[in-house]
Amino acid sequence: GDSVTQMEGPVTLSEEAFLTINCTYTATGYPSLFWYVQYPGEGLQLLLKATKADDKGSNKGFEATYRKETTSFHLEKGSVQVSDSAVYFCALRGRGSTLGRLYFGRGTQLTVWP
Amino acid sequence: KAGVTQTPRYLIKTRGQQVTLSCSPISGHRSVSWYQQTPGQGLQFLFEYFSETQRNKGNFPGRFSGRQFSNSRSEMNVSTLELGDSALYLCASSAPLENEQFFGPGTRLTVL
């Protein structure tokens, strides 16, 4: 079945450091891929998405490229800020009978120090 | 446009009781999905409703049920609460023909 595996944290970085959070997936067909972010005490916010191979999603300095050949959707940011401290979730949405369901990774806690 | 709203935000119940959680989707969204988030199991899919019909269901016992009304608002119900039902329950909505889901702030349920 469909599934997502993401790098588990915690990840601790200094401000302005480069961030990579790895995410790989298993799915039949061509799923849509997402990164969500969760701040303490809040729900999930959509950070970026990609719907087909080689698409690059980007938002607020974060980027991720849909790589079908490696079944990956790694999240990157060139220079993190203290305000980026949160939990990041990689997710996929399949096709067909599971269309309305998101499959999530376990989440990666990111802490950025000034 | 208002986001997804969930009520109540916090609930404390005792074992054996039942609880009803409410979710109002973004205007125009007809699909509503529910997820349970716990530290041990992460984010797990409960069910999805579209146009008042359950379209998908996750692997939860029958104590977990839901419904959707004609205005797309949705409720989920948990009967005979157990300690392990303590979690953050998240609702998400999506628009027709769109594949991203937008989440509400969640309802934090504590079972004592």
Side-chain angles (χ1 to χ4, degrees), chain A residues 38-101:
Chain A
Q38 186 175 36
Y39 298 98
E42 299 184 11
L44 302 179
Q45 295 179 24
L46 178 63
L47 182 59
L48 52 84
K49 68 172 184 178
T51 58
K52 61 183 187 296
D54 301 324
D55 263 2
K56 177 185 280 189
S58 61
N59 185 25
K60 300 180 182 179
F62 291 90
E63 293 183 338
T65 301
Y66 188 145
R67 301 285 188 201
K68 183 128 182 88
E69 63 276 13
T70 55
T71 61
S72 65
F73 192 56
H74 305 321
L75 182 68
E76 296 182 336
K77 187 175 185 183
S79 177
V80 294
Q81 305 299 312
V82 172
S83 57
D84 294 327
S85 298
V87 181
Y88 292 82
F89 293 92
C90 183
L92 75 81
R93 187 168 182 175
R95 310 283 182 184
S97 63
T98 63
L99 180 61
R101 170 179 182 168

Side-chain angles (χ1 to χ4, degrees), chain B residues 46 51 55 77 79 82 89 97 103:
Chain B
L46 282 154
S51 293
R55 190 161 68 172
N77 183 274
S79 62
E82 301 177 359
Y89 289 88
L97 302 181
F103 284 78

Side-chain angles (χ1 to χ4, degrees), chain A residues 32 36 49 93 97 100 106, chain B residues 35 37 40 56 99-101:
Chain A
S32 295
Y36 283 87
K49 68 172 184 178
R93 187 168 182 175
S97 63
R106 293 304 302 263
Chain B
Y35 298 84
Q37 185 178 25
N56 266 300
N99 56 22
E100 59 260 45
Q101 294 186 1

